[in-house]
Amino acid sequence: MSLPSLAKIRLFILILAVGQFLALLLSGTGVFSQLLEEKYGINTPTTQVFFMYFMLALTFTPYLVSREDFEKTLRAHWWKYGLLGLLDVEGNYCLVLAYQYTSFTSVQILGSGGTIVWIMLLSTVFLKVKYHLIHFAGVGVCLLGIAVLAYTDIHNGKSQKGSNPLLGDVLCMVGALCYAITNVSAEFVAKNFTFTHFLGYLGFISCFVSAMQLVILDSDNLMKQQWNQPVVCYYAGFAICLYLFYILSPITMKYSSAIVVNLSVLTGNIYNLLWGLFLFNYKFSMIYFVAFFIIIAGVVLFTVTTPTQASSRESIATTKYWSDYASSLFCECSRCDIHRSTEKDDYAVVNTSETTLSGDSANEDENQLTGIQI
């Protein structure tokens, strides 16, 4: 077996480092949310994510609006963008709301672990990704790290039973599914198109969705709460952390995968502990660092080999179908010059594959008949 090249090693180290930076950003959102709730009694999850979506729209949507086909594409595919935006908003909302009804441990296991399981399932079904034994082993090691974190939280008394555990667990699973769908979509677009289109439309649509939900759910709380410099800073800190997370995630997925990103951010709970030592008087425990290295070991084990895609006729046709569907969803034009020029070539590849496979089948049948005659 040949050793990996220096370029691959550098890329691996860079992905690992960016993954930990993403985990740090995600832990920052939790810290700012906890500061708002514990110091000022503010619990407005929709308002917090609205500012992030507004920043995304402000950054990426003007580029899309400047293109001639923006209005035409939006009218033709608004419901598709709206569905992705709705899933992303509700995924954030469900997981934040779950903390009010179930334990911190349940949110860790069902939220984080559930997202990973859903991503593997969706990638296998729709992207025809084939995972090997080593990938399942890597995921298992990461989930073992989460289990160690959950045990430590229970031991330290951080995981009291919620007011409605069943409802909280259902919210965790729904939020995990929503996250998984948007993550797999982001990975596909980042690898086959460009992440700026995804973030532009996601920010544009999700900004409207979260604004409507804000008026319905958070308007009363916003009118009653006090606005001072710390509160504004906490809102801004949350929005900036999540904004950077949304920008860097699809870029990282382009060179790795959605599941690698989600495995990497599992260490965010350890960063929460480090923040909590200074801000919330958390108890220090060496078990957290054991869990950290277990999760890192799982990520390394998962990324040792790259998952493959099946090369059968069914997978070729399925991949072509989803590629065409994604083209209609994320490309600004109804049928651009690039698609027109490559459309025949793409279908020629599929037809050639089908002809070859059917030819092989015919040869096999002929050989079988010949053998019977002899």
Side-chain angles (χ1 to χ4, degrees):
M1 187 175 78
S2 59
L3 295 175
S5 63
L6 184 61
K8 290 184 179 180
I9 294 175
R10 288 177 177 175
L11 179 61
F12 168 75
I13 295 175
L14 181 61
I15 290 173
L16 198 63
V18 174
Q20 293 313 297
F21 182 64
L22 290 173
L24 186 62
L25 290 173
L26 203 58
S27 70
T29 62
V31 169
F32 287 116
S33 293
Q34 194 168 351
L35 286 171
L36 285 170
E37 185 174 2
E38 290 193 0
K39 289 192 173 184
Y40 299 97
I42 297 174
N43 186 15
T44 54
T46 306
T47 304
Q48 292 168 221
V49 297
F50 165 76
F51 290 123
M52 183 276 299
Y53 289 127
F54 180 76
M55 293 169 65
L56 282 180
L58 207 61
T59 305
F60 296 100
T61 305
Y63 165 75
L64 300 179
V65 174
S66 65
R67 300 181 64 89
E68 296 179 357
D69 294 327
F70 171 76
E71 185 177 352
K72 180 180 178 180
T73 305
L74 189 61
R75 286 181 178 179
H77 307 292
W78 64 269
W79 67 271
K80 300 174 185 177
Y81 303 124
L83 180 60
L84 279 178
L86 179 65
L87 288 173
D88 198 68
V89 172
E90 299 310 321
N92 283 312
Y93 181 76
C94 285
L95 286 180
V96 173
L97 189 63
Y99 284 100
Q100 300 181 18
Y101 298 103
T102 190
S103 64
F104 184 78
T105 303
S106 295
V107 177
Q108 280 185 316
I109 295 175
L110 296 177
S112 302
T115 301
I116 293 169
V117 172
W118 278 117
I119 288 176
M120 293 188 73
L121 180 61
L122 293 173
S123 298
T124 301
V125 173
F126 295 108
L127 302 185
K128 293 299 177 183
V129 176
K130 183 179 180 180
Y131 295 104
H132 304 290
L133 182 61
I134 192 171
H135 298 120
F136 291 104
V139 172
V141 172
C142 289
L143 294 180
L144 176 62
I146 285 293
V148 173
L149 285 174
Y151 169 78
T152 308
D153 291 335
I154 294 174
H155 185 265
N156 292 337
K158 284 180 59 181
S159 188
Q160 289 84 13
K161 191 175 182 180
S163 59
N164 193 338
L166 179 60
L167 176 59
D169 293 345
V170 170
L171 288 172
C172 287
M173 290 185 284
V174 172
L177 177 59
C178 293
Y179 269 141
I181 294 173
T182 55
N183 271 244
V184 172
S185 301
E187 177 188 348
F188 186 87
V189 175
K191 289 183 175 180
N192 295 277
F193 302 94
T194 170
F195 74 94
T196 56
H197 297 166
F198 179 80
L199 292 178
Y201 284 114
L202 181 69
F204 180 74
I205 297 295
S206 298
C207 189
F208 283 100
V209 173
S210 59
M212 290 186 290
Q213 187 166 311
L214 181 157
V215 173
I216 298 172
L217 300 177
D218 291 348
S219 57
D220 292 338
N221 293 331
L222 291 174
M223 294 296 293
K224 295 177 182 178
Q225 75 181 35
Q226 56 175 320
W227 291 92
N228 51 36
Q229 185 176 357
V231 169
V232 173
C233 289
Y234 296 154
Y235 270 113
F238 179 94
I240 292 172
C241 286
L242 199 57
Y243 170 77
L244 294 175
F245 181 86
Y246 267 66
I247 292 177
L248 292 176
S249 290
I251 299 176
T252 309
M253 292 175 189
K254 180 179 178 65
Y255 298 101
S256 58
S257 64
I259 192 168
V260 170
V261 171
N262 281 271
L263 289 173
S264 298
V265 300
L266 291 178
T267 57
N269 295 288
I270 287 90
Y271 298 124
N272 282 335
L273 166 69
L274 298 178
W275 291 113
L277 291 175
F278 301 99
L279 299 174
F280 309 114
N281 297 320
Y282 284 177
K283 294 180 180 180
F284 177 79
S285 176
M286 285 298 296
I287 302 180
Y288 279 98
F289 291 99
V290 174
F292 176 84
F293 287 109
I294 290 175
I295 294 173
I296 292 296
V299 175
V300 173
L301 188 62
F302 186 93
T303 53
V304 166
T305 59
T306 304
T308 57
Q309 289 187 336
S311 57
S312 65
R313 176 173 59 183
E314 181 183 356
S315 68
I316 292 173
T318 305
T319 303
K320 182 68 179 67
Y321 169 78
W322 286 107
S323 179
D324 286 347
Y325 178 78
S327 298
S328 67
L329 179 60
F330 296 107
C331 187
E332 284 94 349
C333 58
S334 57
R335 182 59 63 186
C336 66
D337 294 336
I338 296 178
H339 288 143
R340 262 198 300 269
S341 63
T342 59
E343 187 178 45
K344 293 182 180 180
D345 295 336
D346 290 339
Y347 280 105
V349 172
V350 177
N351 291 333
T352 302
S353 301
E354 293 177 351
T355 304
T356 303
L357 291 171
S358 61
D360 292 342
S361 301
N363 291 334
E364 290 178 0
D365 295 338
E366 183 178 353
N367 292 334
Q368 290 176 356
L369 291 173
T370 305
I372 293 173
Q373 291 175 357
I374 293 174

